[in-house]
Amino acid sequence: MSNLPHSVLFCCDHNATRSPMAEGMMKKFYGRNVYVQSVGVMADLEIDGFTIAVCEEIGVDLHRHRARSFTELQEWGDDLSAFDLVVALTPASQAQALDLTRYYHLDVEYWPIMDPTGTGEGREARLAAYRQTRDQIRAHILERFGPPTE
């Protein structure tokens, strides 16, 4: 448990696929031991239905997730400087995170995670792509933070 930060912010482009997956899994694996949120560079999309479906398969409920941006994060009362770690899941979110945190002493990590949107023909092929993304994120989380505590 010593490698668990007190707070983690996951970010991606729209906060509709990758970062909600990461937020949901982190909360499921480590419960109340870590404060977890997620944002996007933009919050112009609702959570993706395939994201909800593949996370449900592993017991992560994302039905209530509402996309928000870095700007909305701060408008809603979360100060970026209060996070111990920002994990960027896309190059655009990494650039945004580095720009916004240049005056703060906090770590920004980049995990290159595949974008499953628009991948595959038909429902089963799309679900397979989303599962691959989910499993990439899960592998990164477990490697970085250790076995689940919940």
Side-chain angles (χ1 to χ4, degrees), residues 18-65:
R18 289 169 278 189
S19 57
M21 283 184 185
E23 177 186 356
M25 282 187 270
M26 190 80 181
K27 286 177 177 176
K28 178 176 178 56
F29 296 163
Y30 307 105
R32 299 191 197 290
N33 294 318
V34 182
Y35 178 71
V36 184
Q37 290 295 316
S38 67
V39 296
V41 174
M42 301 168 284
D44 56 343
L45 302 174
E46 290 301 317
I47 190 162
D48 187 293
F50 288 105
T51 297
I52 292 171
V54 300
C55 284
E56 250 179 11
E57 293 173 352
I58 62 167
V60 174
D61 182 6
L62 297 179
H63 283 94
R64 293 186 316 227
H65 178 80

Side-chain angles (χ1 to χ4, degrees), residues 46-113:
E46 290 301 317
I47 190 162
D48 187 293
F50 288 105
T51 297
I52 292 171
V54 300
C55 284
E56 250 179 11
E57 293 173 352
I58 62 167
V60 174
D61 182 6
L62 297 179
H63 283 94
R64 293 186 316 227
H65 178 80
R66 295 294 171 254
R68 64 182 178 163
S69 66
F70 279 100
T71 303
E72 290 168 326
L73 173 82
Q74 293 179 309
E75 288 172 357
W76 295 356
D78 271 324
D79 185 354
L80 196 58
S81 65
F83 288 93
D84 296 322
L85 175 64
V86 177
V87 178
L89 306 174
T90 67
S93 65
Q94 179 190 27
Q96 180 85 32
L98 289 171
D99 183 55
L100 292 172
T101 62
R102 67 183 178 269
Y103 301 113
Y104 303 128
H105 180 71
L106 63 118
D107 294 326
V108 176
E109 293 181 9
Y110 173 60
W111 298 354
I113 302 295

